[in-house]
Amino acid sequence: MNDIPNPVLRMIQNDEEVARLELAGDRHEWIVGRGESADLVVPHPSVGLHHARLFVAGGEVFIEDIGTSGGTFVGGRRIAGVTRLGDRERVLLGQADVAKPWWIELEDPAARLLTELGLPAAESSDPSPISAPAGANDGAAEPARAVMPPAAVAARPMVRRFDRRRAALGGLVAMVAFVLATWGLLTWLRPTSTAWRSVQVSPPIAEAEGDLILQSPDIYPSDALTVTLAGKATEVLDQRRGRLTLRVPELGRATSGIHDVPLVVRRNGGEIYQRMTRYSVRPRIRAVRPLRATVGELLTLTGSGFSEQVEEVRVRFGDRIVAAASSTPERIEVRVPVVTRSLEVRVPVEVVIGEWEAPAPSLVPVQPRQEAPLAFTFTAEFDPSRGAWRLDHPLGTALWIPGAAPAAGEAPATIERILERWDVVFQLAAEDPELEIAVRSRRDSLALVASAESFEAPLELARWGAGELVRLMSPERSDISAEMLCHWIAGVWNDFLEVFSRGRKLTPDDLVLPPYAVALNGLVEANLAAGGSGRPEDSDLEALDATPRRLLAEALLPVPRHVGSVAGEWLAELENVFLPEQDLRVEVILDLDQRGKRLSGRARLELRNATMDWQLPATRVSGRLIFGSPARVELDAWFGRPVGKVELSGVLGDGSFEGTFESGAVPAQWRARRLEAPAVPLAPSARTASLEASLQRRGG
């Protein structure tokens, strides 16, 4: 059997209950109105935000209109002050012209029970101090069931009033005693392990350190209740008849996202309720180590709710987002990106996993990378098989230098001097952008020298006698001249100076970059990406793959096959400038011979489109090879009309060369241009064009 029911205020529309308010608890006053803060909300414009108030005094319910324009009506009459409400008595707030208004009806089971037992409700005196003030009804309609003033009560016979009160009091006492006894008996007899049914859980998704509320008529307060969520003890914040409030714990190693976890309630060890509950885990950062980070080093974030899938994890440093290096539900490692190159900065750090974001507790100090550029030094070792000294650099063999065998295990003074000079050159090149390595050619010798405006005289780095350079540096090549080889070596060393001493990428004068130069540019890019100034470090070299490492080790030796030789057949594809109005494909087939720098041979030109294939008679071609790194080729050929003279100029690459050409077949003078995209496209009327000649050696 339940306790004595409390009065209930029901809101009714179309004879159906749409809301109810139980007048119970420690409160003695409730507000009815349109505002969201009202205890019972009546959604109509004619109802005031705080339209009326209800209160309980002397065991009875009273209503008072709070000075509204729409008025409050009880039993069809507008009230002007405090009015007592009886069981099943209806109240209308405003809504005078509404066809289907919202009614408020008081349901007072206790008063109804007294009526059914033939016991009249006790007459109430003036409910001071919250009764209506004097004169509140002046000029207003007669209030419905207004509270009877004390004078009216006093006018009745004293004996009759006493008998009625005694009878009513006796009936109430008897009824209350019966109810309490029955409730106590049922409570004592109720099984302690009865399962809970029809439990409403809110919110539908629980979060750590939030509240979880269970509601059911089966819930009774008990000190014997224990609750676990995902096997973890859960604190009971409040329990009362029909309601249990829990504090959601944090679930250890759970990853971020929505999880289904078991919620179990036990009483005296016996399970009385169990269900799967949705649990939301947000990532949280609790600590960052080290406290002061450095660009390029690993930063460790510890916390909870992270992901085991490292590809799902991103870390934001200010406006830079980087991928995590490793991730577990409690730990993330990430490499600090380049957020500074000079001064220490403080940046916000956030973990991003899907739509979840978790900021670090405070800004993280980040200092620039501590640079340690590679010490580009040289060593020497004598090779008896060649009778020369092999100079090595950090990536491979540098040069072969003629010299005497070591005496007493020590290198000759000339070799020691060469080593010192090479070391000095790489150090000075970092401060002097004009320093470069050049070729000094004499009748009986070739030499590599370092020259700069700050030098009083060129600094000799290596010298070879006639025939020694090719024998030592490229014994397998018989088609290359010593002068061509020396220029190639000088060009490679200038590229090394640009990267290892100055930290700058190679931007070729032409569109050809040797493979080793591409690998050098990769070192600069990797260092810049890690927060350096561009000068490669030991860590950059250690991170190299096998292919770029081999290309750098073999940058000088062995000498590539394309260096110094262009003999053979070539196919050149030229842009059509001879007959611009025709959609023509222009090809030149070259068959070249070489003697040192001089080039000769024959060339045949073909013009073709969808309807024509026109071959011009073969003609002689002549030209020269210009030493350097890379080498250049210049060729002239005279064809008949409508082409005329064609001048080809290009850069020799590995099995190809690229360049521009001039043609005398047009009225204006054509000037050769290097194959490099112009900043502004040239108009056809200028009679000048950048023309691509991609020459591919035929047959390899």
Side-chain angles (χ1 to χ4, degrees):
M1 183 173 180
N2 293 330
D3 298 336
I4 298 175
N6 295 310
V8 174
L9 203 62
R10 304 168 59 225
M11 189 162 69
I12 300 172
Q13 187 183 41
N14 294 336
D15 294 329
E16 292 185 4
E17 180 182 310
V18 295
R20 62 166 43 210
L21 172 65
E22 185 176 0
L23 307 182
D26 298 333
R27 298 180 58 180
H28 298 283
E29 180 175 321
W30 295 266
I31 298 298
V32 181
R34 176 167 47 88
E36 294 183 358
S37 61
D39 297 294
L40 185 62
V41 179
V42 181
H44 193 271
S46 67
V47 179
L49 296 178
H50 294 164
H51 194 104
R53 67 185 180 118
L54 290 94
F55 57 91
V56 176
E60 294 184 303
V61 180
F62 296 86
I63 187 168
E64 179 187 13
D65 184 272
I66 311 178
T68 60
S69 60
T72 301
F73 300 86
V74 177
R77 295 183 178 183
R78 180 169 180 168
I79 68 173
V82 176
T83 300
R84 178 168 55 83
L85 293 181
D87 180 42
R88 297 180 181 175
E89 191 153 34
R90 287 194 172 187
V91 180
L92 181 66
L93 306 182
Q95 310 175 76
D97 56 350
V98 178
K100 296 180 180 180
W102 281 269
W103 290 94
I104 297 175
E105 181 181 272
L106 177 66
E107 188 178 90
D108 192 348
R112 188 185 315 153
L113 179 60
L114 289 176
T115 301
E116 292 174 355
L117 294 175
L119 300 175
E123 298 188 17
S124 175
S125 63
D126 184 10
S128 300
I130 54 176
S131 60
N137 293 335
D138 293 345
E142 180 184 353
R145 296 180 183 267
V147 176
M148 183 177 298
V153 177
R156 298 184 179 183
M158 295 297 296
V159 176
R160 183 180 179 185
R161 182 177 61 180
F162 175 77
D163 291 341
R164 293 180 62 186
R165 286 188 175 182
R166 183 175 60 179
L169 182 59
L172 284 174
V173 170
M175 182 181 67
V176 170
F178 175 76
V179 169
L180 291 176
T182 304
W183 177 80
L185 179 62
L186 292 178
T187 301
W188 181 72
L189 294 175
R190 185 175 64 248
T192 59
S193 59
T194 302
W196 292 355
R197 298 175 296 276
S198 302
V199 178
Q200 179 181 354
V201 179
S202 61
I205 301 178
E207 290 191 13
E209 300 182 6
D211 290 351
L212 191 66
I213 300 174
L214 280 62
Q215 293 178 291
S216 171
D218 297 331
I219 296 177
Y220 289 86
S222 173
D223 293 336
L225 285 181
T226 59
V227 183
T228 59
L229 189 64
K232 193 166 186 178
T234 303
E235 180 185 2
V236 178
L237 298 179
D238 179 54
Q239 54 176 319
R240 62 183 68 179
R241 173 69 186 279
R243 181 186 178 97
L244 188 67
T245 303
L246 311 172
R247 173 58 51 86
V248 180
E250 185 170 311
L251 302 185
R253 292 177 55 83
T255 57
S256 61
I258 306 298
H259 304 265
D260 290 329
V261 296
L263 172 66
V264 180
V265 181
R266 292 181 173 86
R267 181 187 288 120
N268 293 326
E271 183 177 304
I272 58 175
Y273 180 67
Q274 190 274 340
R275 66 166 287 171
M276 297 301 292
T277 300
R278 308 204 75 189
Y279 180 86
S280 172
V281 179
R282 295 176 179 269
R284 296 186 179 185
I285 302 176
R286 289 188 170 82
V288 179
R289 293 292 183 274
L291 297 178
R292 176 170 278 99
T294 301
V295 169
E297 75 173 356
L298 283 176
L299 191 69
T300 301
L301 310 175
T302 56
S304 61
F306 302 148
S307 175
E308 294 180 340
Q309 306 299 322
V310 67
E311 64 274 6
E312 297 178 353
V313 181
R314 295 291 183 270
V315 182
R316 180 184 289 116
F317 291 79
D319 58 353
R320 297 287 303 275
I321 298 181
V322 296
S326 65
S327 178
T328 69
E330 297 173 332
R331 177 188 177 96
I332 292 175
E333 287 187 330
V334 61
R335 197 164 296 279
V336 180
V338 184
V339 294
T340 180
R341 295 185 184 273
S342 55
L343 302 176
E344 182 177 295
V345 297
R346 298 172 66 85
V347 297
V349 175
E350 286 184 317
V351 169
V352 181
I353 304 175
E355 297 181 354
W356 307 98
E357 294 183 356
S362 60
L363 298 179
V364 177
V366 179
Q367 56 189 359
R369 174 175 173 172
Q370 305 299 316
E371 293 190 78
L374 176 69
F376 208 89
T377 56
F378 291 76
T379 59
E381 183 178 348
F382 186 75
D383 186 349
S385 63
R386 295 200 185 190
W389 288 85
R390 188 185 75 241
L391 268 64
D392 292 331
H393 59 79
L395 300 174
T397 300
L399 298 168
W400 292 88
I401 304 294
E410 296 183 357
T414 55
I415 299 299
E416 292 289 349
R417 185 166 56 252
I418 289 174
L419 292 176
E420 293 176 0
R421 288 181 176 180
W422 276 104
D423 292 344
V424 168
V425 164
F426 270 83
Q427 295 173 12
L428 295 178
E431 304 173 359
D432 189 349
E434 303 298 328
L435 188 151
E436 66 175 359
I437 297 176
V439 176
R440 187 171 63 191
S441 176
R442 295 179 178 175
R443 176 176 296 181
D444 58 347
S445 66
L446 286 168
L448 291 178
V449 297
S451 61
E453 293 183 358
S454 59
F455 291 3
E456 294 182 359
L459 187 65
E460 185 174 294
L461 302 175
R463 173 182 291 275
W464 298 272
E468 284 184 320
L469 181 60
V470 175
R471 178 180 65 84
L472 292 176
M473 296 292 292
S474 188
E476 74 284 355
R477 294 285 301 274
S478 60
D479 59 341
I480 188 172
S481 67
E483 187 177 4
M484 181 65 197
L485 179 58
C486 198
H487 278 280
W488 164 260
I489 294 171
V492 173
W493 281 120
N494 283 325
D495 290 342
F496 271 64
L497 286 177
E498 192 74 358
V499 170
F500 288 100
S501 296
R502 303 181 182 114
R504 296 191 299 211
K505 291 181 62 175
L506 304 177
T507 54
D509 292 337
D510 301 276
L511 295 183
V512 175
L513 264 182
Y516 78 85
V518 176
L520 287 175
N521 281 349
L523 282 176
V524 177
E525 292 171 353
N527 185 266
L528 290 173
S533 61
R535 297 179 64 183
E537 304 180 20
D538 288 326
S539 58
D540 300 320
L541 295 181
E542 293 172 0
L544 277 179
D545 293 335
T547 298
R549 181 180 292 275
R550 177 182 57 79
L551 291 173
L552 293 176
E554 299 176 356
L556 286 150
L557 300 173
V559 180
R561 296 297 304 174
H562 69 269
V563 174
S565 176
V566 294
E569 291 186 348
W570 300 78
L571 171 64
E573 296 181 358
L574 310 180
E575 290 185 6
N576 176 29
V577 296
F578 309 118
L579 297 173
E581 67 279 1
Q582 300 289 333
D583 182 18
L584 290 177
R585 178 183 176 90
V586 183
E587 295 181 348
V588 176
I589 295 89
L590 298 171
D591 188 0
L592 300 177
D593 295 323
Q594 179 180 358
R595 290 189 178 182
K597 300 179 184 179
R598 295 182 58 186
L599 302 175
S600 60
R602 298 185 66 79
R604 185 176 75 254
L605 187 144
E606 297 182 0
L607 304 173
R608 67 170 66 94
N609 61 13
T611 60
M612 178 185 69
D613 188 351
W614 185 15
Q615 295 186 7
L616 297 182
T619 185
R620 296 188 61 81
V621 62
S622 61
R624 61 174 181 160
L625 181 64
I626 303 174
F627 294 145
S629 178
R632 295 188 60 81
V633 176
E634 292 183 353
L635 298 171
D636 296 338
W638 180 267
F639 296 95
R641 291 195 174 196
V643 178
K645 184 179 180 181
V646 174
E647 299 177 0
L648 288 169
S649 175
V651 179
L652 183 63
D654 188 5
S656 66
F657 71 76
E658 297 179 357
T660 59
F661 70 87
E662 295 180 2
S663 172
V666 293
Q669 177 66 38
W670 287 88
R671 291 186 298 176
R673 292 174 58 85
R674 294 181 299 184
L675 183 57
E676 183 174 1
V680 179
L682 302 177
S685 60
R687 294 298 185 184
T688 306
S690 175
L691 305 173
E692 178 172 329
S694 258
L695 277 68
Q696 300 174 340
R697 187 182 295 274
R698 304 180 79 183

